[in-house]
Amino acid sequence: MSKTLLYGATKIDETNRAYAPAESLAQFQWKNRVFVVFADRDNSRAARQENHLLADRSALDERDLVVLKVSGAGVRSLFGAADGLDGEAIRRDLEAPDVGEFAAFLVGKDGTVKLKASEPITNGELFAIIDSMPMRATESLKPSK
């Protein structure tokens, strides 16, 4: 299983595309974290990932998470509000695999990729990554919404 955790770099090279905000997801920057699943609709790994995520909607909401599924050029929101998104632009910005292949990406509120996974990730793993982020630590100190 391949997971690349991009969060936690001690020095960010702003010329590196891995740390550049995803233009195609700009509507979410500073408001939401975005979890993007790439796969065709009949992909068993994508179905497993969706089931994991949607089993705990209150935790998704608490972490300001929007969940998107990109199939081909189409984008569907699985959780949270999302309008006018271009699947091809998202695929290009995130340097996602070819159409039909499974991949999952976590994009932080700053618009940069925090995690790339080639296999489904559990909610526990995902929430641990999010909860370890400095911005999330600050949010958890504020009174509930």
Side-chain angles (χ1 to χ4, degrees):
M1 170 167 40
S2 173
K3 289 183 201 157
T4 304
L5 184 60
L6 298 176
Y7 169 76
T10 55
K11 182 176 181 197
I12 294 177
D13 174 5
E14 293 178 4
T15 62
N16 183 338
R17 272 184 52 90
Y19 298 106
E23 296 279 330
S24 56
L25 299 172
Q27 67 180 278
F28 302 107
Q29 195 168 4
W30 305 118
K31 293 180 260 179
N32 296 99
R33 292 172 185 88
V34 183
F35 192 81
V36 184
V37 177
F38 290 92
D40 288 336
R41 75 181 158 206
D42 60 349
N43 185 297
S44 64
R45 290 183 292 176
R48 211 166 53 236
Q49 184 67 76
E50 290 173 39
N51 290 336
H52 282 307
L53 290 169
L54 299 179
D56 197 350
R57 292 171 184 265
S58 63
L60 297 175
D61 189 46
E62 179 182 323
R63 289 167 178 83
D64 300 326
L65 206 59
V66 170
V67 180
L68 305 174
K69 182 173 182 184
V70 178
S71 292
V75 181
R76 183 170 59 103
S77 174
L78 301 176
F79 184 83
D83 294 315
L85 295 170
D86 178 349
E88 290 176 359
I90 294 171
R91 185 178 301 281
R92 187 175 49 253
D93 280 354
L94 298 182
E95 298 178 1
D98 294 334
V99 172
E101 291 183 41
F102 177 86
F105 290 76
L106 173 63
V107 178
K109 284 188 174 183
D110 64 355
T112 64
V113 175
K114 306 301 183 186
L115 171 78
K116 294 179 184 182
S118 61
E119 293 293 327
I121 184 171
T122 67
N123 286 359
E125 291 173 305
L126 177 62
F127 297 155
I129 292 166
I130 292 170
D131 292 346
S132 71
M133 295 176 182
M135 191 176 296
R136 173 68 181 143
T138 302
E139 292 168 359
S140 63
L141 296 175
K142 293 179 183 175
S144 295
K145 296 179 192 181

